[in-house]
Amino acid sequence: MIARATSKETRPAKRDPEGVRRDILAVAMEEFSQNGLSGARIDEIAARTRTSKRMIYYYFADKEGLYQRVLEEAYAKVRGGESDLELDHLEPAAALDKLCRFTFDHHRRNPAFIRMVMIENIHHGRHMQMSGKIRQLNRPAIEALESVLTRGQQSGVFREGIDALELHWQISALSFFNVSNVATFSYIFGDELFTPGGQDTLSQHVAEMVLRYVLSADHITLVGKSG
């Protein structure tokens, strides 16, 4: 007679629901960023996460619901990284330099994030508009930059008349182009700028460009000397 297994070791382990969700979102980010919303396959995501389509739909309702959640996670990651910089504890110029370098380096190391933003722009931001989180996630980015600018202007380090939203656009544009156009730019002009050394130099120069734009005339000569 075969003994009935009752020990904990022989029972199937219970899956961690949050762990399953994290795995699905990580794989879905790769799938959507590589193939877009229409080209991504739920079957592929299910196979790579060792779960089922039914389980994915249970967590995220449908394919578009999963895509929207991936977008939210992508923005949450970059904004969470910004909040970890603790810019309020730094001198204004050092804080702005750190923010610029973080943005540039985050984007270059997370090309999937850039591709997701590009894909969402193809869809005219439709899924962002349906999200109740993405605007709230991004609002602190402008508030943090406003705080840095205000402190710098009050101390005379930064010139007056700088708009935080516009400055955020400028930092984002410089950092975004580096990833979004890497294939075409490197094909036309070569890949020298996209080597590790080239990227480190670009990161430094992007921060210097932004600082030269923001610093008052009395402080602009200090740019780059500390590095």
Side-chain angles (χ1 to χ4, degrees), residues 1-106:
M1 182 176 179
I2 300 174
R4 186 173 296 175
T6 59
S7 66
K8 292 183 179 179
E9 288 77 13
T10 58
R11 295 175 184 171
K14 292 183 178 180
R15 301 197 70 176
D16 170 22
E18 285 305 311
V20 172
R21 285 168 58 90
R22 286 194 300 270
D23 289 345
I24 292 171
L25 289 171
V27 172
M29 167 76 84
E30 296 180 22
E31 181 71 12
F32 285 126
S33 67
Q34 290 290 341
N35 301 301
L37 175 58
S38 59
R41 297 178 62 245
I42 296 296
D43 285 330
E44 179 67 17
I45 297 170
R48 291 179 58 191
T49 54
R50 297 183 180 181
T51 186
S52 64
K53 290 175 64 175
R54 180 178 179 181
M55 183 64 68
I56 292 174
Y57 291 140
Y58 172 79
Y59 283 125
F60 303 102
D62 54 25
K63 186 178 180 181
E64 292 206 3
L66 176 57
Y67 170 84
Q68 180 178 310
R69 189 71 181 92
V70 167
L71 267 180
E72 292 170 351
E73 283 293 302
Y75 276 101
K77 181 179 178 181
V78 64
R79 299 309 169 217
E82 289 171 351
S83 66
D84 290 341
L85 297 177
E86 299 183 336
L87 300 179
D88 289 340
H89 300 289
L90 298 173
E91 293 295 323
L96 185 54
D97 177 85
K98 189 173 185 179
L99 177 61
C100 290
R101 289 173 181 260
F102 167 81
T103 303
F104 188 92
D105 294 340
H106 169 274

Side-chain angles (χ1 to χ4, degrees), residues 138-176:
N138 286 277
R139 190 174 296 118
I142 307 303
E143 294 172 351
L145 196 49
E146 283 178 339
S147 176
V148 172
L149 286 175
T150 298
R151 290 194 294 115
Q153 289 164 344
Q154 289 175 344
S155 64
V157 175
F158 294 164
R159 64 184 179 88
E160 299 292 332
I162 306 296
D163 180 76
L165 181 60
E166 181 180 342
L167 187 61
H168 174 77
W169 183 95
Q170 291 163 341
I171 296 169
S172 297
L174 289 166
S175 303
F176 193 97

